[in-house]
Amino acid sequence: MNDPGSNLIEVSLAHNNFNNECVKILASALQNNKKLRVLCLDRNPDITRSGFNAFRQVLCNTSSINATYLSNHTLLSVQTEGQTVRMKKGIRDLLKINRIRNKSKVAMFKISKFHSISMEPFFAWDLKILPIAIKWFDTALTRFPDVSNFHNNNQMAIGKKKLLAIYEFARMLPMHFVPTPNVQTRNKRKHSMMTRSRRNA
């Protein structure tokens, strides 16, 4: 499974006396695997929640945006029938997210959920990059899978991140957001000031 060229789609390791250390090694081997979809670990009672937690890092490494992008987006199911403990709900949800067929959308979802995306590196392009950023957030908003309460919570979270991105541009490039008054508006303002001045005199 550690071989990127492996064509295994489903593997059963049930009744193999696996323990936490075995599972951690197995999970690490899946880091670069793009084929395995189903892993059966039924009836391995020595695996505890600590062992199952190893899949969390593999499915969504949040140490950086690039690490999240390169996480495993292929594994769809880890079967654990007959275990004394269950995997955490967060891991099960990540497996459900992986069921989206378009893996670039899976990566987009994970990045948008677990990372704050700063616009500062893009300020050199002025406002040219802002429409692209807004489109990215809008696309992310439409791609949420129906996973528990992820949908509503993450729509709100991504909406806030989108507004924050616009705010960052407005704060750093205020002159692009404040409209310049046209000639007619300036003349009206000037006339109004002159009228008030005469009245005061």
Side-chain angles (χ1 to χ4, degrees):
M1 286 185 290
N2 194 37
D3 181 4
S6 172
N7 289 317
L8 291 173
I9 295 176
E10 185 171 347
V11 170
S12 176
L13 297 170
H15 302 276
N16 267 279
N17 295 319
F18 265 45
N19 58 24
N20 289 339
E21 291 305 313
C22 294
V23 173
K24 290 175 182 178
I25 293 171
L26 180 62
S28 178
L30 292 174
Q31 183 66 57
N32 298 315
N33 187 291
K34 307 298 182 185
K35 296 290 180 65
L36 189 69
R37 297 179 182 177
V38 178
L39 176 63
C40 177
L41 293 175
D42 294 345
R43 310 293 175 181
N44 286 290
D46 291 334
I47 303 175
T48 67
R49 186 161 288 177
S50 173
F52 288 131
N53 285 346
F55 289 105
R56 171 66 176 76
Q57 185 76 355
V58 173
L59 293 169
C60 189
N61 184 340
T62 58
S63 61
S64 69
I65 290 177
N66 192 53
T68 301
Y69 179 80
L70 295 174
S71 295
N72 183 298
H73 307 312
T74 308
L75 188 64
L76 309 180
S77 174
V78 177
Q79 299 171 359
T80 58
E81 183 180 343
Q83 301 300 120
T84 55
V85 297
R86 296 186 68 194
M87 289 187 300
K88 287 184 177 179
K89 179 178 177 298
I91 301 174
R92 298 198 306 271
D93 284 342
L94 287 170
L95 290 168
K96 291 178 182 178
I97 291 168
N98 277 4
R99 293 174 188 172
I100 300 174
R101 289 187 179 182
N102 188 323
K103 299 309 174 183
S104 65
K105 294 175 183 176
V106 175
M108 175 183 287
F109 176 83
K110 292 178 181 178
I111 290 170
S112 63
K113 173 172 172 57
F114 294 104
H115 293 279
S116 296
I117 304 173
S118 173
M119 294 292 106
E120 186 174 354
F122 305 111
F123 290 154
W125 284 275
D126 291 335
L127 292 185
K128 296 176 183 178
I129 200 71
L130 183 56
I132 298 174
I134 291 175
K135 183 178 179 180
W136 191 92
F137 284 114
D138 286 341
T139 301
L141 281 168
T142 64
R143 302 301 181 190
F144 287 106
D146 185 15
V147 180
S148 183
N149 61 349
F150 269 26
H151 186 82
N152 292 334
N153 289 348
N154 285 281
Q155 277 199 322
M156 292 176 61
I158 298 305
K160 289 179 180 179
K161 290 178 182 180
K162 173 185 172 182
L163 292 175
L164 180 59
I166 296 172
Y167 169 75
E168 285 189 59
F169 273 96
R171 182 169 58 88
M172 294 303 298
L173 304 166
M175 296 308 296
H176 290 280
F177 288 83
V178 178
T180 304
N182 57 35
V183 175
Q184 185 176 1
T185 302
R186 288 199 301 266
N187 288 339
K188 286 182 179 179
R189 187 176 299 169
K190 183 177 179 181
H191 177 74
S192 177
M193 291 175 65
M194 290 177 63
T195 302
R196 287 198 300 270
S197 178
R198 290 172 183 169
R199 288 175 180 173
N200 292 334

